[in-house]
Amino acid sequence: MVDGAGTAQRAIEAVWRIEAGRLVAGLARVTGDVGLAEELAQDALVVALEQWPVSGIPPNPAGWLMTTAKNRGIDAARRRGTYQRKLEEIGRDQELSTGGRGDDLEDALDDDIGDDLLRLLFTACHPVLSVESRVALTLRCLGGLTTSEIARGFLIPEKTAGQRISRAKKTLTDNGVVFAMPDAAERAARLGSVLEVVYLIFNEGYAAHAGDDWMRPALCQEALRLARLLATLVPDDPEVHGFAALLELQASRIPARTTADGDPVLLLDQDRRRWDRTLLRRGLESLARAEQLASAPGTDAPALGAYAIQAEIAACHARAATPAETDWRRISALYVLLRHAWPSPVVELNRAVAVGFAEGPERGLAVVDAIAGTPALASYPQLPAVRADLLARLGRTAEARESYEAAAALSGNAREREVYAAKARATG
Amino acid sequence: MRYLILLDGTPPEGPPPPELMEAISVLGAEATSSGAMLDTAGLAPSAFGARVDLTGGAITVADGPFAEAKELISYALYEVRSKEEAVEWANRFLQVHQQHWPAWEGGARVLKLFGPEDFAAMS
């Protein structure tokens, strides 16, 4: 019995996982309120967890969840004394759900479920919310993650994660944010916010890949799913495909990024045979799509944006079977483009690495030294690390060792510190 | 984590109903856009393939068809968070067959691929 109940619970969680986004999006269209939609969806999940272990999983679990959530919505509206108004709103779709298995309702929702999901993403990533709240609300509404999973992913107390979500919902209500598609003028900015949020989620998982808790690396997969979803929701935007490409390509390196003991392995030292071929191929395909859209004749689509350019750079590494085959000239040219799209001293530091390989360590060092005094890089361990690599290649070993030691001293990550310390020991 | 779903079956006489093909493509689009399905393709009958065996120290090559009770029909590669999720997609795939081609019988093997998470757990 216990096993049966456990099996049912895991099966319910799987259905939930697949359907949460569509469910919340559909309910948000009906209620006009993302917070309420999310609560109704959660209520339906609770009912499923009570009933399905006993009654079995219904043939159309998604339709069941939707119908149950709507019924809960009607009950809740009745309790709040707004029964009549809500009934009118919900009733419109409720009439559609008379088909035995809810197929009619599903068909009706399928027509614009894509738009609903996009509205949901735009609302969860609304600029009135803090970035932390956008992240939490997106994972909750689109990914169906629990508060505890979000807390573990971001190494915050569960209470804090819960507060971020409830505060986000309240902020949306207080600011009268309706569940609507932003107008054309605002769309690009809002899409930028969505990409930023998904990238944050990805990086939280990517940086922590060596962590002990599976939930941290799982954030990478969460972000990948959102990026793939976005690429189908906004199929004409080159930057969205470029973004998906970037995530696929970066994720393809995950198996090679750490040793068996969990120590980090830098890009040029990675065993490229361990790169994930499936993700790599998908990344290159998404990038080709981005390039095609950006260069289509007569298109008014913008040239490649910052994410797509980074994907181009990642693709240069992906296409090289060995580090020696890397097209460093192309990479350093791409960094010049990236510098325009997204000015940042970190970009310039990365360009220094590429210049160092394309034009020689002397030229690379000149690029590093030009930004060495930038306050934003004062405590950035990669600056002395890059400098050390270039100095070592110039045979200036004493300076190189000193610079590796400086990198180790600045690093806040024990494993990374050890990588730099080892390089210092190995130099001279 | 990744799962390879291998579908085998014994199709009844005649081509599959267009409604089935339509339902499969809707389901496929859903699985793709949700980010769960990474790759999929249909598999030609074994008559078009071959088999390479190592038995008793000798390698032999045999052209298809093979006398299997059921032919492999397609594969799909999924990236999901749990086995149950992969099973749910397989379940949905069989459901559209059940609904649109009742005479069809077959099965889906849900096979886990080793991933970084397995090696992390071992070390």
Side-chain angles (χ1 to χ4, degrees):
Chain A
M1 271 312 281
V2 172
D3 263 10
T7 306
Q9 181 169 341
R10 285 196 302 276
I12 296 162
E13 282 164 1
V15 171
W16 172 254
R17 176 97 196 105
I18 294 169
E19 295 298 334
R22 292 160 59 90
L23 191 58
V24 175
L27 287 165
R29 173 152 64 88
V30 173
T31 63
D33 181 334
V34 168
L36 177 60
E38 199 274 324
E39 279 156 32
L40 292 174
Q42 288 289 335
D43 285 351
L45 173 64
V46 170
V47 179
L49 284 165
E50 284 166 6
Q51 293 188 4
W52 292 1
V54 182
S55 65
I57 295 176
N60 177 2
W64 189 99
L65 285 168
M66 179 61 88
T67 305
T68 303
K70 285 193 176 164
N71 290 338
R72 304 291 279 200
I74 293 170
D75 290 347
R78 185 185 289 136
R79 278 199 302 276
R80 279 200 301 268
T82 53
Y83 174 60
Q84 196 55 43
R85 185 172 58 82
K86 285 290 175 190
L87 186 65
E88 282 166 17
E89 290 171 11
I90 295 172
R92 275 191 311 236
D93 275 9
Q94 191 70 11
E95 285 166 20
L96 299 169
S97 70
T98 45
R101 294 179 42 195
D103 285 350
D104 296 347
L105 174 63
E106 283 236 300
D107 288 348
L109 284 173
D110 276 345
D111 287 343
D112 48 11
I113 187 70
D115 281 353
D116 284 343
L117 281 165
L118 196 55
R119 277 188 204 102
L120 181 57
L121 263 169
F122 281 139
T123 311
C125 297
H126 197 283
V128 297
L129 303 174
S130 71
V131 171
E132 292 83 9
S133 289
R134 289 179 213 173
V135 166
L137 198 58
T138 300
L139 287 173
R140 174 74 150 189
C141 292
L142 272 302
L145 265 65
T146 64
T147 309
S148 134
E149 285 168 337
I150 294 170
R152 283 164 57 195
F154 287 85
L155 304 178
I156 51 176
E158 193 165 338
K159 196 176 156 207
T160 308
Q163 282 166 347
R164 282 183 190 172
I165 293 161
S166 54
R167 204 180 307 131
K169 289 180 187 170
K170 186 171 182 306
T171 305
L172 289 179
T173 310
D174 290 352
N175 286 273
V177 173
V178 289
F179 183 70
M181 203 70 90
D183 60 36
E186 211 197 323
R187 216 174 124 114
R190 294 279 286 279
L191 197 52
S193 172
V194 173
L195 296 182
E196 184 192 357
V197 163
V198 178
Y199 201 46
L200 266 170
I201 295 169
F202 182 84
N203 277 328
E204 193 68 27
Y206 200 63
H209 194 265
D212 297 328
D213 189 340
W214 62 269
M215 193 54 225
R216 306 260 292 146
L219 288 177
C220 283
Q221 201 191 323
E222 224 37 74
L224 264 173
R225 292 175 76 118
L226 287 167
R228 291 167 188 162
L229 172 65
L230 255 181
T232 57
L233 297 180
V234 194
D236 301 330
D237 189 305
E239 185 67 343
V240 168
H241 289 279
F243 179 77
L246 177 62
L247 263 51
E248 301 268 13
L249 289 171
Q250 289 194 336
S252 76
R253 296 183 201 148
I254 286 175
R257 285 180 76 228
T258 46
T259 64
D261 298 332
D263 289 326
V265 183
L266 301 175
L267 173 61
L268 297 179
D269 300 327
Q270 288 171 9
D271 179 351
R272 296 179 179 220
R273 292 167 302 183
R274 296 181 66 199
W275 285 354
D276 186 313
R277 308 305 302 176
T278 304
L279 296 185
L280 198 152
R281 177 178 55 75
R282 290 176 58 93
L284 293 178
E285 281 170 8
S286 292
L287 184 59
R289 181 86 189 115
E291 287 164 351
Q292 187 190 22
L293 285 166
S295 63
T299 183
D300 58 355
L304 293 182
Y307 290 115
I309 297 168
Q310 290 178 83
E312 294 272 5
I313 293 167
C316 287
H317 294 298
R319 290 187 186 110
T322 64
E325 290 167 63
T326 309
D327 187 348
W328 289 108
R329 286 196 174 278
R330 181 167 163 77
I331 293 178
S332 60
L334 286 164
Y335 272 119
V336 174
L337 278 183
L338 184 59
R339 190 173 56 180
H340 286 291
W342 190 17
S344 138
V346 173
V347 169
E348 196 59 3
L349 182 62
N350 289 326
R351 189 173 76 86
V353 176
V355 169
F357 284 113
E359 301 172 33
E362 194 106 41
R363 299 292 288 275
L365 197 59
V367 177
V368 176
D369 288 341
I371 53 166
T374 312
L377 295 179
S379 56
Y380 193 64
Q382 279 73 28
L383 176 78
V386 167
R387 202 162 180 277
D389 285 342
L390 293 163
L391 287 167
R393 285 171 51 205
L394 286 167
R396 292 158 65 175
T397 44
E399 290 167 87
R401 190 175 55 243
E402 208 171 289
S403 213
Y404 278 131
E405 282 163 359
L410 283 175
S411 177
N413 177 301
R415 291 180 189 274
E416 185 187 67
R417 192 156 53 233
E418 184 45 36
V419 169
Y420 294 142
K423 285 197 178 223
R425 287 193 298 273
T427 306
Chain B
M1 52 186 77
R2 282 190 196 160
Y3 287 86
L4 182 67
I5 300 185
L6 280 175
L7 187 76
D8 61 35
T10 46
E13 285 294 304
E19 297 79 22
L20 175 69
M21 301 319 287
E22 173 61 20
I24 287 174
S25 94
V26 168
L27 189 59
E30 218 177 284
T32 303
S33 73
S34 80
M37 190 161 77
L38 300 183
D39 192 19
T40 186
L43 299 171
S46 66
F48 294 90
R51 196 185 161 112
V52 185
D53 281 307
L54 171 58
T55 317
I59 293 176
T60 53
V61 179
D63 282 330
F66 312 112
E68 310 280 3
K70 290 174 176 177
E71 286 273 356
L72 288 172
I73 289 171
S74 68
Y75 76 86
L77 182 62
Y78 280 88
E79 193 159 65
V80 290
R81 202 168 64 162
S82 65
K83 183 181 91 178
E84 287 76 12
E85 214 180 302
V87 168
E88 173 62 18
W89 285 112
N91 185 34
R92 290 182 184 198
F93 199 71
L94 290 189
Q95 273 184 358
V96 298
H97 283 74
Q98 183 184 38
Q99 195 178 350
H100 297 292
W101 207 7
W104 188 89
E105 284 191 354
R109 263 174 278 178
V110 180
L111 305 168
K112 186 182 188 308
L113 275 63
F114 278 130
E117 72 277 7
D118 299 296
F119 300 109
M122 285 174 200
S123 60

